[in-house]
Amino acid sequence: MDFDLSRLALYILSVTILLLTPGPVNLLVVRAGLAGGMPEAFRVVVGTAAASLVLILAAGLLVAGVFTLNPAVFASLQLAGCLYLIWLAIRMIWRLRQQGADLAGAEAQQAGIGQGFAIALTNPKYLVFFSSFLPQFLDVLPTLGQSFVLLSALWLCLVFAALSGFAFVIRRVIRPKYHSALLLGASFLLLGFGLLGAGWAGKRLLTA
């Protein structure tokens, strides 16, 4: 079977960089890993993978011409995700300030598949990737269907490997006594991402 190895390598490198670049999903995975251990981080990754399947399906329908992407709908989806992220970050910060080191046990019960799914589904990086970047690589195999299946499978494998590995490394490198400070920092970064994203999405929604 003929395939474009160089473009496939570029795709793998691009996805890996995208997944490891700091963003809401990365921070959520790290927070879950620090608060509840790798099982909690893995649940967030599973939620992220599930959201990816939805976005992959939407991208396939978009490429096939089944529907077009309305800018207002796109901006509304991003705004909803950012508002949820702001609420989530504020709740994390409030609990950290109220409970301090005891937050780990309480927060471990809150993180999971649902949060990973919601944040990934509305993550601006993922939305742009699947709507604009992925279609550029749909000629790596002879047919569109073959390329789509291969790229989707690679994406899911990289999601599990990169995000789980990221959480594992953070847990091993950062000493437990610094976990609370890192959790607080991650929460403020999530809040910042949410506020910036909401402002950007709101501006696009007003001009759409």
Side-chain angles (χ1 to χ4, degrees):
M1 181 182 295
D2 296 330
F3 64 95
D4 192 333
L5 183 59
S6 61
R7 286 176 61 79
L8 194 60
L10 177 61
Y11 172 80
I12 293 173
L13 177 62
S14 301
V15 171
T16 301
I17 293 174
L18 174 76
L19 292 171
L20 294 180
T21 301
V25 173
N26 310 67
L27 293 173
L28 190 64
V29 170
V30 168
R31 186 205 62 81
L34 292 176
M38 286 306 299
E40 296 301 325
F42 189 74
R43 290 188 181 95
V44 175
V45 176
V46 170
T48 299
S52 298
L53 291 176
V54 175
L55 294 174
I56 288 170
L57 176 61
L61 296 175
L62 183 65
V63 171
V66 176
F67 69 91
T68 57
L69 191 62
N70 188 299
V73 174
F74 187 77
S76 297
L77 186 60
Q78 288 182 314
L79 181 60
C82 290
L83 292 177
Y84 174 72
L85 189 61
I86 292 171
W87 173 81
L88 190 63
I90 291 175
R91 189 183 68 170
M92 292 178 190
I93 294 170
W94 182 82
R95 290 188 175 183
L96 272 167
R97 303 302 290 269
Q98 292 293 320
Q99 302 179 37
D102 294 333
L103 178 71
E107 278 297 302
Q109 299 175 1
Q110 299 296 325
I113 295 175
Q115 286 185 359
F117 183 88
I119 295 300
L121 189 66
T122 55
N123 185 355
K125 287 198 306 180
Y126 290 7
L127 290 172
V128 171
F129 174 84
F130 286 111
S131 63
S132 303
F133 190 74
L134 178 66
Q136 300 178 39
F137 292 86
L138 290 176
D139 57 352
V140 295
L141 287 177
T143 69
L144 180 64
Q146 291 173 339
S147 297
F148 200 79
V149 170
L150 176 61
L151 296 179
S152 300
L154 285 173
W155 167 270
L156 291 175
C157 290
L158 291 170
V159 161
F160 279 101
L163 294 182
S164 298
F166 191 68
F168 178 78
V169 170
I170 293 296
R171 278 188 59 83
R172 293 297 298 269
V173 172
I174 306 299
R175 295 180 180 180
K177 65 179 181 179
Y178 298 122
H179 284 187
S180 294
L182 188 58
L183 281 168
L184 184 61
S187 300
F188 274 110
L189 283 174
L190 282 172
L191 179 61
F193 276 119
L195 291 172
L196 287 174
W200 182 73
K203 182 178 179 180
R204 290 195 63 184
L205 190 59
L206 291 174
T207 58

